[in-house]
Each structure stands twice: as structure tokens, then as C-alpha cells.
Amino acid sequence: MTKLKDNNAQNFKNSFKDKVILITGASSGIGAALAKGFAQEKAKLALLARRFNKLEVIASLCKMSDSQALALVCDVSKETEIEKAVATVQQQLGSIDVVIANAGFGVVANVENLTLTDFQRQFETNVYGVLRTLYATLDDLKKTQGRLVIIGSASGHISIPKYAAYAMSKHAITALAETLYAELAPYGISVTLISPGFVKTEIRNVNNLGIYQEGTRDPLPEWLRLDADKAAKIIIKAIRLRQRERIITVSGKLGVILNRVFPGLLPRFFRWQAMRKK
């Protein structure tokens, strides 16, 4: 009986009911799946993304679960948009308890076929967008002793050909999360880095300019990609427990483990593949 009471008390403590949760990149993929997952717990949701029509659909689905959901157009690569969005959230929903920096896309091509502008564009969203989100919400997180969640990637631990720009941005995010994990601890803020492998999202429908292309076929086989809703359940559990990092998907875990246990193995394999093709 005592154990049951302790579990109930712990569940109540970790409940997201009425917590204000801000999610960037919430119009599709992991961001949308997280929004729907938190809506089931009756959280107050601030959903940010560039595509308002898709945001409205997600917000409507969340409201069907009796959750408050505020849809706001926001491009995290723009200097002041996240600050304006956060001000609106504070005014309409209150102080923010959970911040999920999820917005991102991938620049994909051999380095010799990219320009500095391509790398800058990648970092503006994937790195500086996360920093803008952090700075805009940090005061609230200190006030609420909240949770900062950074959606990184298994590519933040390993690198593969054609993904240099993306992997560089995610390696930077990994370093940022590890630093913030220590720096924000005195304020009671937890920092959770989520490092997914292949998930069923629209990231491969977005070109190198960051523009969504309707109908683009994902080259990865279905069996290799984890359903976004299943990924969201794992991520929400990690956020609830204030875990430092959670690597998800079999492919993501396998790649990271191989790189840690056998450093140099994957780079040599990719080099061998490149030489074969030549």
C-alpha cells in the first residue's frame, strides 16, 4: 500500500497537467507527435512553426483532448520571431515549464558541392535557432525550475558522407546540451538531449534551402524508420524523468555504440564505400 501511494505521489509530481509546454517545429514529425502526446495529459501547449495551416490542424487535434493549444507562426532562424512568440505565450498561457527545441532541417550533399551559405543556413536553424529559443525562455525556466529539451540526432555522435553540414550542426547541439546540463543545474533546470536515429518525419521532404517539397519520396525503407508517435512516447518519458540523454531507434543506438566502442570503424567503412563507387 505504501509503495502504491509513493508511486501515485511521484506520478502526480511528474504530471504535465496544466504545465505550459513550448514546442518549436510543431507542425509535423516529432514536434507534432509530442504535441498530441502532451495534449493527452492536458498540458497547455504553445505550438510554434513556419507553416500555420499545418499548425492549426495539430492545435485542433490537441484541443479535442481538452488541452489548451496556441498556434503561433515562428521561424527560429529569424532574429526576433521567437521572442515575440514567447511574449504571446506568457501573456496567454503563463510562465513556461517545458521548452522543446525541435525545429530543424538537413542540408545534404557532398561538401565540395556546398557553399558557405549552405552551412550558414544549416546553422541558423539547427544551432542558432536552438540558442534563440533558449535565451527567449531561460528566465521562465529559472522561475519554474523547468525542463529544457533539445532534439539532436544520432548524427550528433557520428558522421556519414553527404551529411557534413547536418552532422556538424547536431554535434554542436550535443556539445551545447552537455554544457547546459551542468550550467543550468543550480537553477533546478533539467536538460535532456534527445538523439534519434531514423524516424518517420518530413525532414527528407525539406530541401537544402529549408523549403518543404510536397510529395518527395523518402529514400529510406519503411522498416528502418520508427513511427513518430512511438518516438514521442519514449521522448515524453525521458522528459518526465529528467534524463540527461536518450538515444532512440535501433539504428541510432547501434550507430552510436559502434562509434564509441570501435572508434574509426564507421569512418573506414564509409571511406571504403566511397572508394568502391569511384
Side-chain angles (χ1 to χ4, degrees):
M1 181 65 73
T2 303
K3 186 176 181 181
L4 182 61
K5 286 182 179 178
D6 289 343
N7 287 338
N8 289 338
Q10 188 68 24
N11 289 336
F12 178 78
K13 181 181 177 182
N14 289 327
S15 171
F16 292 110
K17 187 177 187 299
D18 294 328
K19 298 293 185 182
V20 178
I21 300 177
L22 181 145
I23 306 173
T24 65
S27 61
S28 65
I30 290 175
L34 285 171
K36 290 182 284 185
F38 282 118
Q40 292 177 1
E41 300 198 29
K42 308 298 187 289
K44 298 178 181 178
L45 298 168
L47 309 179
L48 280 56
R50 295 180 300 170
R51 294 178 290 170
F52 187 66
N53 58 332
K54 292 216 166 191
L55 268 183
E56 282 191 309
V57 173
I58 302 301
S60 297
L61 290 172
C62 292
K63 290 174 183 177
M64 290 172 64
S65 298
D66 294 328
S67 175
Q68 287 183 252
L70 180 63
L72 296 169
V73 173
C74 177
D75 184 344
V76 297
S77 70
K78 307 299 182 185
E79 203 62 49
T80 60
E81 288 195 14
I82 184 68
E83 294 175 359
K84 292 178 181 177
V86 167
T88 302
V89 173
Q90 291 167 333
Q91 184 179 27
Q92 297 194 28
L93 299 179
S95 298
I96 300 167
D97 298 283
V98 181
V99 174
I100 304 176
N102 169 68
F105 77 106
V107 169
V108 182
N110 287 338
V111 173
E112 65 179 321
N113 296 325
L114 296 174
T115 65
L116 284 177
T117 302
D118 292 314
F119 283 92
Q120 289 167 345
R121 187 185 308 111
Q122 181 73 103
F123 271 65
E124 277 296 340
T125 297
N126 290 16
V127 179
Y128 298 123
V130 172
L131 287 169
R132 291 186 186 101
T133 303
L134 166 67
Y135 289 133
T137 59
L138 186 55
D139 286 343
D140 271 14
L141 290 177
K142 288 179 179 179
K143 189 188 306 181
T144 61
Q145 294 189 323
R147 296 164 164 90
L148 172 65
V149 184
I150 297 175
I151 306 298
S153 171
S155 294
H157 299 280
I158 59 179
S159 299
I160 62 176
K162 294 188 177 182
Y163 282 82
Y166 182 72
M168 285 169 64
S169 71
K170 293 302 183 179
H171 272 72
I173 289 304
T174 299
L176 175 65
E178 289 180 358
T179 301
L180 292 175
Y181 177 74
E183 290 185 356
L184 299 184
Y187 301 105
I189 302 171
S190 64
V191 178
T192 299
L193 173 67
I194 303 296
S195 301
F198 301 125
V199 179
K200 293 177 186 176
T201 70
E202 294 181 346
I203 190 169
R204 280 168 288 277
N205 294 89
V206 180
N207 65 19
N208 287 358
L209 298 176
I211 300 171
Y212 177 79
Q213 295 180 306
E214 192 75 45
T216 304
R217 181 180 173 275
D218 195 317
L220 294 174
E222 187 84 8
W223 61 267
L224 192 58
R225 295 176 291 146
L226 180 66
D227 184 78
D229 290 331
K230 291 181 180 178
K233 288 181 181 178
I234 298 170
I235 294 169
I236 290 173
K237 182 179 179 180
I239 298 170
R240 193 188 311 280
L241 298 177
R242 293 180 181 261
Q243 293 180 344
R244 184 186 68 83
E245 181 180 12
R246 188 67 187 266
I247 301 169
I248 59 174
T249 75
V250 173
S251 61
K253 290 177 181 178
L254 181 61
V256 173
I257 290 171
L258 279 175
N259 212 41
R260 287 175 178 173
V261 178
F262 304 105
L265 177 64
L266 290 178
R268 287 188 177 91
F269 171 73
F270 294 133
R271 186 175 187 272
W272 172 75
Q273 274 196 323
M275 294 298 289
R276 276 190 65 194
K277 290 178 182 178
K278 186 177 179 181

